[in-house]
Amino acid sequence: MDYAVSSKAPALLKADCLVVALNKGATDLPDTLPDATRKLISACVKSGDFAGKKQQTLLLQQPPELSATRLLLVGTGAEGALGVQAFLQLAATVAKGVAATGARSAAWLLDNIAVKEHDTAWIVREGSRGVADNTYRYDTYRSDKSGAPALKRFTFLTSAPAADAKQALAEGTAIAAGMALAKDLGNRPPNDCHPDYLVTVAKALADEYPALKLKTISEKQAEKLGMGAFCSVARGSERDGQIMIFEYQGAKGAPVALVGKGITFDTGGISLKPGASMDEMKYDMCGAASVFGTVKAVCELQLPIHLVAVVVAAENMPDGRASRPGDIVRTLSGQTVEILNTDAEGRLVLCDALTYVQQKYKPSAVVDIATLTGACVVALGAHAQAVYANDAELAEELLLAGEDCGDRGWPMPLWDDYQEQLDSPFADMANIGGPKAGSITAACFLSRFTKDVSWAHLDIAGTAWVSGGKLKGATGRPVPMLTRYLMHKAGSGDD
Ligand code: BES
Ligand code: MN
Ligand code: ZN
């Protein structure tokens, strides 16, 4: 799909569908619309066909005095300026409304929309990201692809200065492209999405963007390096574990590091998970997927930052060589871990990757992203990712970045009080902390491997995919939060 910005008058824009969003009661008809069009809309309001309610749409054919062949009215449901979440909801309704028409080209008038605390560049960026996000489909494995959208071109109509609008569109579509990559990886079935496949994708990405360097560490090499925790998980599968390290040097100085959990399927291992919904554990590599997606967005935008991005990939299977509850392993950091539950594997693969990235790259900040605990889903549901950090400033940067684009996080405690839940009678620590505060004790475990660096951990177990039913699918989160965070680091993200 092609996205564009234009400052043309809405009446002059040739498209199969012109979209106009209207407030509650449709009292604020944009004066850039021709009189005859405004009259027609007023008539629709008077007759009760359209009231500007949230998610309400009305499609009109052959609107008078417009070059577009259809006019799609969409309600905002608000009296005045919209909040961030309401605007993103509107963009979703617009995208779905247009897709339902079969239009091949569409344009959305943005000038009559106001979003609290944000300018028109923000509206173009998040509007384009929102539209692109909501036109995503995953049909790689479907024989019948006839449901594919007809839409080929989408134009955002704005009177914002052309250079600003273009830059905002480039940002929105780059983040959306990163989200689409993360969704593709997440949705891919686990028989075809395994650590070696992720290496193939990593190589393709490094080929696509010359600024990107890639290094891989095989399971064998990891063993030699002393990554006993990572290997104890990877060993339980026929498929080899893999670690991928991207380096993107768009600036000098110490890098920011991202580390993504890439368990391509989590059976639980010998501590086997129950069968219901186990298919969803193909999404246990969504932290890794978000790292791929963020790397893609950063490369597209050529951000002036130094970034190191690590994907730690393994399959958690109950093989003959799999870990047993009671096994003790030595991590790369030298600390020993008693594995009391083989289903708490994410922290085991992450701890070695966290140690490695600190030893090798001396980063100024490290952020790990992981579908780490079911407890996080209980605590925060599907709306916010849990944000843990040993540095209040880093936590704030991530929270603000998420707030800015509606990809929200919520702060969680990392108090020492919780640490003793990880005590083991035989090793330096256990890999589980008992039934209470499961997301927090998982974060506490990771904190023991990140003492000397500014570090944050995002538990995305609730936000990375939509569970169950027809709507099941990866969300591409937290690519927007991470990319906005890095844009701010690059000094290019201020609205
Ligand atoms: N990948 C899971 C976490 C998960 C479970 C995410 C369900 C989303 C939905 C992780 O590896 C896991 O199994 N965690 C265990 C930890 C427990 C054994 C301490 C969990 O949350 O049950
Ligand atoms: Mn698990
Ligand atoms: Zn897992």
Side-chain angles (χ1 to χ4, degrees):
M1 179 121 89
D2 278 338
Y3 292 95
V5 283
S6 168
S7 57
K8 268 194 187 153
L12 300 180
L13 196 103
K14 288 202 180 80
D16 293 343
C17 186
L18 175 71
V19 182
V20 177
L22 295 168
N23 69 345
K24 202 167 163 189
T27 54
D28 63 347
L29 300 190
D31 46 21
T32 48
L33 288 176
D35 282 348
T37 313
R38 290 156 55 96
K39 268 190 195 138
L40 174 63
I41 298 175
S42 297
C44 294
V45 175
K46 215 168 180 186
S47 67
D49 289 353
F50 186 77
K53 283 187 215 148
K54 196 160 136 187
Q55 291 187 53
Q56 186 182 21
T57 58
L58 181 66
L59 185 66
L60 302 167
Q61 298 288 336
Q62 311 280 323
E65 290 179 20
L66 289 186
S67 304
T69 49
R70 302 174 182 86
L71 175 63
L72 178 67
L73 305 180
V74 182
T76 70
E79 304 277 356
L82 300 172
V84 170
Q85 304 299 330
F87 175 74
L88 292 173
Q89 168 87 70
L90 175 66
T93 309
V94 168
K96 286 174 187 154
V98 168
T101 66
R104 292 173 56 85
S105 58
W108 181 11
L109 179 62
L110 295 180
D111 278 339
N112 65 326
I113 297 173
V115 177
K116 287 173 206 154
E117 290 170 34
H118 292 294
D119 61 7
T120 44
W122 184 97
I123 291 175
V124 172
R125 185 182 70 230
E126 296 308 321
S128 58
R129 185 177 72 78
V131 167
D133 186 22
N134 285 284
T135 48
Y136 174 89
R137 278 171 59 91
Y138 188 69
D139 58 8
T140 309
Y141 288 82
R142 278 194 197 282
S143 310
D144 176 10
K145 298 196 196 319
S146 59
L151 194 63
K152 293 284 174 289
R153 188 172 178 79
F154 199 107
T155 306
F156 296 88
L157 291 176
T158 172
S159 55
D164 294 357
K166 268 200 176 146
Q167 176 61 24
L169 180 74
E171 291 169 359
T173 51
I175 297 171
M179 292 174 79
L181 172 59
K183 289 190 225 181
D184 281 349
L185 293 172
N187 289 330
R188 193 174 175 86
N191 52 332
D192 286 350
C193 181
H194 38 69
D196 283 339
Y197 174 74
L198 293 181
V199 171
T200 312
V201 175
K203 285 185 174 153
L205 210 56
D207 284 346
E208 190 179 349
Y209 300 102
L212 209 55
K213 280 191 282 177
L214 173 68
K215 175 183 150 91
T216 60
I217 299 174
S218 67
E219 188 177 330
K220 242 194 192 150
Q221 292 168 320
E223 189 87 57
K224 281 203 191 114
L225 287 169
M227 297 181 165
F230 166 72
C231 290
S232 75
V233 177
R235 224 183 354 258
S237 167
E238 277 286 304
R239 300 181 185 281
D240 273 346
Q242 292 280 2
I243 298 175
M244 290 141 261
I245 302 137
F246 293 106
E247 185 170 11
Y248 168 93
Q249 196 153 8
K252 295 209 166 80
V256 171
L258 303 178
V259 179
K261 170 179 173 183
I263 297 296
T264 59
F265 196 75
D266 182 10
T267 64
I270 296 301
S271 313
L272 194 65
K273 285 184 181 295
S277 304
M278 205 208 271
D279 66 290
E280 294 193 6
M281 282 298 112
K282 73 173 181 177
Y283 291 115
D284 211 17
M285 34 59 70
C286 281
S290 76
V291 168
F292 276 104
T294 304
V295 165
K296 185 176 176 72
V298 165
C299 289
E300 283 286 320
L301 293 171
Q302 301 184 327
L303 291 186
I305 52 163
H306 187 186
L307 178 69
V308 168
V310 182
V311 165
V312 54
E315 195 179 45
N316 189 20
M317 297 288 272
D319 181 62
R321 284 168 15 110
S323 299
R324 297 146 287 257
D327 281 3
I328 294 180
V329 297
R330 184 176 297 276
T331 65
L332 181 61
S333 74
Q335 300 175 91
T336 56
V337 177
E338 185 183 18
I339 300 174
L340 290 178
N341 190 320
T342 64
D343 199 7
E345 84 298 339
R347 60 200 79 182
L348 294 173
V349 301
L350 284 169
C351 69
D352 281 344
L354 286 166
T355 305
Y356 181 83
V357 79
Q358 290 170 78
Q359 288 179 352
K360 196 87 182 168
Y361 295 94
K362 309 266 177 283
S364 59
V366 181
V367 181
D368 77 69
I369 309 101
T371 49
L372 205 59
T373 64
C376 183
V377 192
V378 175
L380 295 175
H383 299 293
Q385 38 252 2
V387 177
Y388 296 89
N390 63 7
D391 172 351
E393 203 176 318
L394 176 59
E396 193 60 21
E397 286 174 327
L398 288 163
L399 290 166
L400 283 175
E403 194 75 46
D404 173 87
C405 59
D407 184 11
R408 289 191 288 200
W410 192 251
M412 299 282 277
L414 255 187
W415 300 322
D416 280 346
D417 310 54
Y418 292 100
Q419 290 283 356
E420 66 186 34
Q421 286 179 239
L422 294 170
D423 286 352
S424 156
F426 304 114
D428 298 339
M429 69 194 88
N431 77 327
I432 54 171
K436 292 179 179 168
S439 176
I440 301 174
T441 54
C444 285
F445 181 94
L446 297 176
S447 75
R448 296 177 177 218
F449 300 85
T450 51
K451 283 195 179 127
D452 304 319
V453 69
S454 166
W455 159 78
H457 157 63
L458 305 177
D459 194 336
I460 60 165
T463 55
W465 76 94
V466 176
S467 276
K470 261 193 173 169
L471 291 173
K472 188 191 286 181
T475 60
R477 292 179 67 181
V479 171
M481 174 196 262
L482 293 170
T483 310
R484 290 298 289 149
Y485 161 70
L486 294 170
M487 286 170 76
H488 279 114
K489 283 253 159 239
S492 63
D494 298 308
D495 289 314

